[in-house]
Amino acid sequence: MKLGAEIRTRRKALGLTLDDLAERSGLSPHYLSTLENEHRDPRLSTITAVAKALRVPLAELLGPSAAPAAAQRIGPLFERLPPEAQEALVTLAQMLVAAPGRKARARGKRP
């Protein structure tokens, strides 16, 4: 299942409107609608905010194919971290994902 469909299914299962989810996640209802309709490629921090608002582990929201067994065990550990530690890990992950493109540009090549 795609991320947008998973968000919509879980939101509706909880009986939440887009406005309810927006209030819980700190995102706008319009933005959440674009996520649900697969019109956005959200950042990890956005997916994390939605997962928290839906009260599901991040790995579970991303689906079993996106989260191998080891990653599924990491989700609950991440959830128990203080918010500032979660934010630091999200930032680190984003930097690691972006790093290969930076190295290629540094060598004068496009990623």
Side-chain angles (χ1 to χ4, degrees), residues 3 5-14 16 21 24-25 44-64 67 71-72 74-80 86:
L3 177 62
E6 186 68 23
I7 292 170
R8 178 180 285 123
T9 298
R10 289 176 179 275
R11 175 179 61 79
K12 287 185 174 186
L14 292 171
L16 299 174
L21 185 57
R24 286 182 172 196
S25 66
L44 182 58
S45 58
T46 299
I47 301 169
T48 301
V50 172
K52 282 184 179 182
L54 293 172
R55 296 186 176 103
V56 297
L58 180 61
E60 190 176 314
L61 185 61
L62 294 173
Q72 289 178 354
I74 292 171
L77 296 173
F78 180 83
E79 301 279 330
R80 289 190 293 236
Q86 289 181 2

Side-chain angles (χ1 to χ4, degrees), residues 81-98:
L81 291 172
E84 56 275 359
Q86 289 181 2
E87 187 176 322
L89 281 174
V90 168
T91 300
L92 177 61
Q94 289 171 338
M95 290 171 60
L96 290 172
V97 168

